[in-house]
């Protein structure tokens, strides 16, 4: 690891710990709520709807945490490989200000903007 990205490495390590702890806590809370619910009759549709909504919210949060954790782990791997700071798409350097603001960034602003345009259904430029 170069001293150039020491600050980002520390930020990524810290974020990795935070996300991992949050994931463990979320899964721990899910298992205790399932234990409380076990054995209770589900006679009312309102209770089922509420439980379904809570489950969907928890699964969405868990999915977002997993995605963010994967981005952080990818950035940490790039630091170890010596490719951190280079765009995954075009290979050009990512703006240092972008990396300072978002250490897990893997795309330069041009590629990120192009990806966002394509995701919205805008045809690529000709």
């Amino acid at each position: 690891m170069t001293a150039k990205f020491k600050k980002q490495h520390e930020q990524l390590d810290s974020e990795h710990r935070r996300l991992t702890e949050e994931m463990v806590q979320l899964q721990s809370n899910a298992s205790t709520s399932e234990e409380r619910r076990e054995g209770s009759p589900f006679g009312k549709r309102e209770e089922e709807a509420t439980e379904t909504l809570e489950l969907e919210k928890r699964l969405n949060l868990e999915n977002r945490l997993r995605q963010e954790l994967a981005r952080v782990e990818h950035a940490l791997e790039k630091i170890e490989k010596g490719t951190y700071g280079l765009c995954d798409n075009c290979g050009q350097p990512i703006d240092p200000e972008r990396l300072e603001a978002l250490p897990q960034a893997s795309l330069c602003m041009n590629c990120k903007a192009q990806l966002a345009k394509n995701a919205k259904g805008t045809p690529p430029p000709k």
Side-chain angles (χ1 to χ4, degrees):
M1 174 184 63
T2 64
K4 181 179 178 181
F5 297 119
K6 188 176 188 326
K7 180 181 177 185
Q8 285 86 352
H9 190 268
E10 290 171 358
Q11 289 174 316
L12 289 164
D13 276 338
S14 175
E15 184 68 358
H16 189 271
R17 282 191 300 278
R18 185 190 71 76
L19 291 168
T20 302
E21 289 170 10
E22 198 170 330
M23 182 70 81
V24 168
Q25 185 178 15
L26 184 64
Q27 291 170 342
S28 170
N29 289 344
S31 62
T32 57
S33 68
E34 287 171 6
E35 289 171 6
R36 275 185 271 136
R37 190 174 57 214
E38 209 170 281
S40 67
F42 290 152
K44 298 180 182 174
R45 288 186 180 195
E46 295 86 15
E47 288 177 16
E48 290 174 359
T50 301
E51 286 182 11
T52 300
L53 179 64
E54 290 301 317
L55 177 61
E56 285 178 11
K57 284 175 19 182
R58 184 179 60 80
L59 291 175
N60 282 334
L61 178 57
E62 200 172 305
N63 188 40
R64 283 198 316 269
L65 285 173
R66 277 195 181 105
Q67 289 173 350
E68 189 59 29
L69 194 55
R71 284 190 282 273
V72 168
E73 288 172 349
H74 178 67
L76 288 168
E77 287 171 13
K78 287 180 72 167
I79 288 175
E80 295 303 317
K81 290 179 183 175
T83 60
Y84 182 77
L86 300 177
C87 178
D88 283 355
N89 189 45
C90 69
Q92 295 299 311
I94 298 172
D95 186 350
E97 290 176 356
R98 176 167 168 73
L99 290 175
E100 190 161 330
L102 189 66
Q104 63 270 35
S106 62
L107 298 174
C108 66
M109 285 306 294
N110 289 337
C111 291
K112 181 67 176 173
Q114 189 61 42
L115 182 70
K117 283 182 187 177
N118 290 341
K120 292 180 182 176
T122 306
K126 295 180 181 182

